[in-house]
Amino acid sequence: MTLGTAEHTGPDRPVTVMVVDDHPMWRDAVARDLAEAGFEVVATAGDGPEAIRRARAARPQVLVLDLNLPGASGVQVCKEAIAHDGALRVLVLSASGEHTDVLEAVKSGATGYLLKSAGRDELVDAVRRTSAGDPVFTPGLAGLVLGEYRRLATEPPPAQPDEPAAPRLTERETEVLRLVAKGLSYKQIAQRLVISHRTVQNHVQNTLGKLQLHNRVELVRYAIARGLDDEDGDGDGSGGTGGNR
């Protein structure tokens, strides 16, 4: 297992991961499993304040995070870590399947939520998918989260004085946004539109920048509020000739 400070890695380098849990044996076991699976574990932490400090120093690509931490909650750690590094992906690994815990984690910016009852292979796959920006949830929780997106989308946004017109998205960005709102993973979107996984990620990042949003939670809420999840269309990219536009 490799421990140390690491910058965000390139496509030919292993995904960097940090593991946060207040139980040393569990924390070490998760870190060991991930290291053996080919990830680079750049840091671990056992409490909230330590997690925030080390995440800022190590800058992992994925933070595997327990919610029940001394000093500061996992939700607070998630918020502060993402505020410091917008490229960070957070996978919550918790013993709690309570709906309130799941929704609070997602609202704080977590990309996914996995119960500790998951097996080693599930964990490894979840971390790999989280690093790619795909939402990963223990079966039964994904529907809960999508339902919350829909509920939030029905609430009127707070009034903004002199709010500028909504930025104009390209046709391809709109297609990708619609499929994100339908709950498809980046891999599924790439297959549907016959483009690369990296191209999907680039479209999502461009859309986040144009809309001044920070994460997938806000992006899905934006899309649902505009009814994009209900629009018909096979997403075949027929609106343009360039598959990798």
Side-chain angles (χ1 to χ4, degrees):
M1 179 174 64
T2 303
L3 290 176
T5 301
E7 294 296 327
H8 286 306
T9 54
D12 58 340
R13 296 285 303 279
V15 173
T16 56
V17 180
M18 177 175 171
V19 180
V20 180
D21 197 289
D22 62 332
H23 295 287
M25 290 182 63
W26 178 268
R27 181 174 67 243
D28 292 345
V30 170
R32 182 178 62 251
D33 285 346
L34 293 177
E36 290 176 352
F39 297 100
E40 182 180 0
V41 181
V42 295
T44 63
D47 62 51
E50 179 184 44
I52 294 170
R53 290 195 304 271
R54 292 191 175 180
R56 290 177 176 177
R59 297 194 68 233
Q61 290 169 289
V62 178
L63 181 64
V64 179
L65 177 68
D66 188 17
L67 289 182
N68 188 18
L69 299 172
S73 70
V75 166
Q76 187 62 32
V77 172
C78 184
K79 288 179 179 178
E80 295 201 25
I82 291 176
H84 184 264
D85 181 1
L88 176 67
R89 308 292 187 187
V90 178
L91 173 66
V92 170
L93 184 60
S94 174
S96 171
E98 293 293 325
H99 290 183
T100 53
D101 289 336
V102 178
L103 296 178
E104 280 301 310
V106 173
K107 289 176 184 177
S108 71
T111 302
Y113 195 107
L114 199 65
L115 295 181
K116 286 185 174 181
S117 57
R120 178 184 182 278
D121 290 346
E122 288 180 89
L123 171 63
V124 170
D125 181 62
V127 173
R128 185 173 292 114
R129 290 170 58 196
T130 298
S131 71
D134 287 344
V136 182
F137 295 96
T138 292
L141 298 182
L144 166 72
V145 175
L146 186 57
E148 180 68 3
Y149 286 156
R150 294 180 183 279
R151 186 190 69 79
L152 290 173
T154 64
E155 296 180 355
Q160 298 291 337
D162 302 324
E163 184 175 356
R168 184 176 182 83
L169 302 180
T170 67
E171 188 171 347
R172 181 64 89 191
E173 287 168 349
T174 302
E175 285 180 306
V176 171
L177 179 57
R178 176 171 57 79
L179 295 176
V180 167
K182 288 177 176 292
L184 273 67
S185 69
Y186 291 174
K187 180 179 180 180
Q188 291 171 321
I189 294 172
Q191 293 173 340
R192 180 78 66 87
L193 299 181
V194 196
I195 57 179
S196 70
H197 187 282
R198 175 66 65 181
T199 299
V200 174
Q201 287 181 294
N202 289 340
H203 283 312
V204 171
Q205 290 303 315
N206 290 340
T207 302
L208 287 171
K210 285 184 178 182
L211 300 178
Q212 297 184 3
L213 303 176
H214 301 93
N215 52 52
R216 189 181 179 115
V217 176
E218 295 180 358
L219 190 63
V220 173
R221 180 178 180 178
Y222 175 93
I224 292 176
R226 284 151 183 79
L228 291 177
D229 61 317
D230 294 325
E231 288 187 4
D232 293 327
D234 57 11
D236 61 1
S238 58
T241 58
N244 283 325
R245 255 188 309 146

